[in-house]
Amino acid sequence: EVHLVESGGGLVEPGGSLRLSCAASGFTFSTSSLNWVRQAPGKGLEWVSSISGGSTYLNYADSVRGRFTISRDDAKNSLYLEMNSLTAEDTAVYYCARVGRGGNEYGSGSYDCWGQGTLVIVSS
Amino acid sequence: EIVLTQSPATLSLSPGERATLSCRASQSISIYLAWYQQKPGQAPRLLIYDASNRATGIPARFSGSGSGTDFSLTISSLEPEDFAVYYCQQRAGWPLTFGGGTKVEIK
């Protein structure tokens, strides 16, 4: 069974940093494209970042480019999101999501598996 | 950026009724549109990918159609578990974007 489990969320002060992790199981991780998607409290879904298999292609939303870094460790079947210079606008549940059928080699596509999400709160 | 506009924002229907949700793109996205269902406190679930393909395990009462800029998700006969928020998402260009959502509520 395909499974994604996020961790690393929590309360952080404005300007602070946090590293999110996503542990994957049940599929061939190394060849899969993965994305981070976030959802602010009571709001809709916002794509954050994507990484292709082999880390060949990385993409970021304008709102996080230069502050967030996506990476993966295929040996550990894990996806990461390093977040720096956090602001209140980054407060959200962060989901990792796997690109399934209907995807391309650049890392975009539709998401056929999602983790349960990890909550990041940026507040003083 | 490709903007996706979903309508209506809220759809009030009774179980057994037909639901039709709309998603309009600000420019042509071919068939590169997906639909998700999200219930409170849960992660989204993929329903439809590439406009009209049902994802694994999705009941046949869910169907998607459209291409270019106009898309729709139809639920042929609403079951109690279908009352939720539905989002569309495009993968035609960066940044990937989602629509604002349509809430299907019990009338």
Side-chain angles (χ1 to χ4, degrees):
Chain A
E1 182 186 359
V2 177
H3 210 47
L4 298 170
V5 179
E6 302 93 337
S7 60
L11 175 63
V12 60
E13 292 188 347
S17 299
L18 214 54
R19 188 195 199 207
L20 305 184
S21 301
C22 174
S25 60
F27 63 98
T28 305
F29 183 83
S30 61
T31 58
S32 296
S33 293
L34 295 148
N35 286 223
W36 289 99
V37 176
R38 68 185 180 183
Q39 187 169 36
K43 303 297 184 182
L45 300 168
E46 179 188 16
W47 170 76
V48 173
S49 183
S50 71
I51 186 167
S52 64
S55 302
T56 308
Y57 299 101
L58 309 181
N59 280 280
Y60 298 93
D62 286 347
S63 58
V64 307
R65 185 176 291 111
R67 300 187 299 122
F68 290 12
T69 302
I70 192 171
S71 62
R72 61 192 296 161
D73 185 336
D74 292 344
K76 295 183 177 180
N77 282 4
S78 292
L79 173 72
Y80 306 101
L81 187 67
E82 187 76 39
M83 305 187 296
N84 299 314
S85 303
L86 287 162
T87 73
E89 286 66 46
D90 298 314
T91 294
V93 173
Y94 285 73
Y95 296 101
C96 65
R98 184 186 76 159
V99 172
R101 286 192 287 176
N104 59 38
E105 68 271 28
Y106 303 106
S108 75
S110 55
Y111 309 119
D112 64 352
C113 182
W114 298 64
Q116 85 289 348
T118 187
L119 177 61
V120 173
I121 300 174
V122 183
S123 175
S124 55
Chain B
E1 174 175 322
I2 298 171
V3 177
L4 298 179
T5 302
Q6 291 189 241
S7 61
T10 304
L11 199 51
S12 298
L13 295 168
S14 301
E17 290 193 292
R18 182 184 188 90
T20 302
L21 288 65
S22 174
C23 179
R24 176 164 290 176
S26 59
Q27 64 189 73
S28 178
I29 58 171
S30 185
I31 61 165
Y32 301 134
L33 188 95
W35 290 93
Y36 301 87
Q37 176 194 69
Q38 187 178 34
K39 297 178 181 178
Q42 296 185 16
R45 177 175 71 143
L46 177 66
L47 300 174
I48 302 288
Y49 67 94
D50 288 351
S52 62
N53 297 286
R54 265 191 307 275
T56 303
I58 300 304
R61 65 181 181 273
F62 291 93
S63 63
S65 65
S67 66
T69 61
D70 291 307
F71 300 85
S72 63
L73 173 71
T74 299
I75 310 171
S76 59
S77 178
L78 283 164
E79 297 288 338
E81 62 268 27
D82 298 337
F83 293 92
V85 179
Y86 293 82
Y87 294 96
C88 57
Q89 174 241 333
Q90 65 80 21
R91 68 171 185 91
W94 302 101
L96 307 183
T97 51
F98 290 87
T102 290
K103 181 179 182 180
V104 179
E105 65 176 24
I106 300 176
K107 185 175 182 180

